[in-house]
Amino acid sequence: MTSFLRQPQEARLRDVLLVLVAAFGLSACIALIWLGMRAVMDIGGACAEGGPFVPVQPCPAGAPAALTLGMLGIFGFGALGIWAGAQIGGGWAALPLLAWPALFGSLGWNFLEYGLTFEEGAIVWGWVIPGVIFILMAVVPLWFVWSARASSVPINARFGLPAGREAATEPPPSLGWDTSHAVREEPPPEAPSEAIDRLERLAELRRRGDITNDEYERFKQALLRDVERDT
Amino acid sequence: MIRPSWLPVAAIASAIAGVLFAVWLFAVLAG
């Protein structure tokens, strides 16, 4: 079962600091997008300036910069967090994935809040529907993560992310999911193909009725003893 | 090499600090 705080493995200070920078940057970018979106929704949900058309609705101050910075920054800090987290190991490469539910959950909240209260007494379905979709986009992956707590598949593997350095003696710092399987056991030695051929021939002889079940079992045990002795 | 047992707590603190920074930055951008 999972332990939420385990004795961590050693990690490089540089990687730990980069993970913290990524966490800082990702949440800052999401907050910028959230604030920029609310500023635009405050004036009706759309704005445009310049170009060949008369600016009908100027954008609120700061919103274009905040939205641009936030959307570009998410990718940069996300990549940084995945890379640095992979250096630490223990599923930390998956930390930036939390930005997905954080982003869609917070923007979905905006849609729902404004859709339900923007015009008194009237529900703005054009905002409520994307709000519901965004909330679902946030919650469904979270549910998968939650259900993976005790799974035998590490969280980073579920999303195709690298496992990072494997624990030598102690498990790495944990995000709350079991990483004990990160150290894979050696597969059992395979039976020589010659022995398999002989086993198949034996089974064939029994099917054809050339040898009895007792003889088959005796031959098989002898064959397996030979294989064990050879390996 | 360090043993960052405090990493989960530090990551949460960094995320909160990031939100506060964004609120400050947005106030600056909005003038």
Side-chain angles (χ1 to χ4, degrees):
Chain A
M1 188 51 199
T2 304
S3 70
F4 272 75
L5 284 173
R6 47 173 91 220
Q7 185 65 32
Q9 179 191 30
E10 287 186 334
R12 276 193 293 272
L13 180 62
R14 181 200 68 183
D15 300 329
V16 170
L17 290 179
L18 287 179
V19 162
L20 295 181
V21 167
F24 178 93
L26 276 174
S27 59
C29 288
I30 292 167
L32 278 177
I33 295 172
W34 188 79
L35 290 166
M37 177 181 171
R38 292 177 74 87
V40 174
M41 294 184 91
D42 278 336
I43 58 164
C47 63
E49 291 173 72
F53 306 104
V54 177
V56 176
Q57 181 66 279
C59 289
L67 289 167
T68 308
L69 272 179
M71 283 188 256
L72 290 177
I74 275 188
F75 291 98
F77 286 113
L80 176 70
I82 290 174
W83 179 81
Q87 304 297 312
I88 295 176
W92 280 89
L95 181 66
L97 297 180
L98 289 175
W100 177 281
L103 178 68
F104 286 101
S106 56
L107 300 192
W109 170 277
N110 276 352
F111 274 127
L112 286 182
E113 182 187 338
Y114 280 76
L116 295 174
T117 62
F118 187 67
E119 292 172 12
E120 290 301 326
I123 292 175
V124 185
W125 289 104
W127 284 352
V128 169
I129 291 171
V132 171
I133 293 173
F134 272 42
I135 294 289
L136 283 176
M137 287 172 72
V139 170
V140 170
L142 270 186
W143 181 82
F144 275 107
V145 170
W146 184 250
S147 69
R149 281 168 309 146
S151 163
S152 61
V153 179
I155 188 68
N156 47 291
R158 281 194 164 206
F159 293 98
L161 291 171
R165 292 187 295 125
E166 291 181 351
T169 52
E170 293 180 50
S174 174
L175 278 177
W177 38 70
D178 186 10
T179 57
S180 55
H181 43 265
V183 181
R184 304 209 180 280
E185 290 179 7
E186 285 293 314
E190 288 182 23
S193 58
E194 187 191 345
I196 293 173
D197 287 344
R198 286 165 67 186
L199 276 173
E200 283 173 351
R201 280 207 300 276
L202 265 182
E204 176 62 24
L205 286 172
R206 181 177 63 167
R207 267 198 301 277
R208 292 205 321 238
D210 291 345
I211 56 175
T212 66
N213 280 346
D214 286 347
E215 287 167 335
Y216 169 79
E217 286 299 328
R218 277 209 311 279
F219 287 138
K220 192 175 88 170
Q221 293 306 323
L223 182 58
L224 290 176
R225 276 196 300 276
D226 285 351
V227 170
E228 282 171 10
R229 202 175 54 231
D230 292 344
T231 55
Chain B
M1 298 294 257
I2 56 174
R3 291 179 172 274
S5 57
W6 37 265
L7 190 49
V9 175
I12 294 170
S14 291
I16 294 171
V19 172
L20 296 177
F21 172 75
V23 170
W24 170 81
L25 182 62
F26 188 77
V28 170
L29 290 173

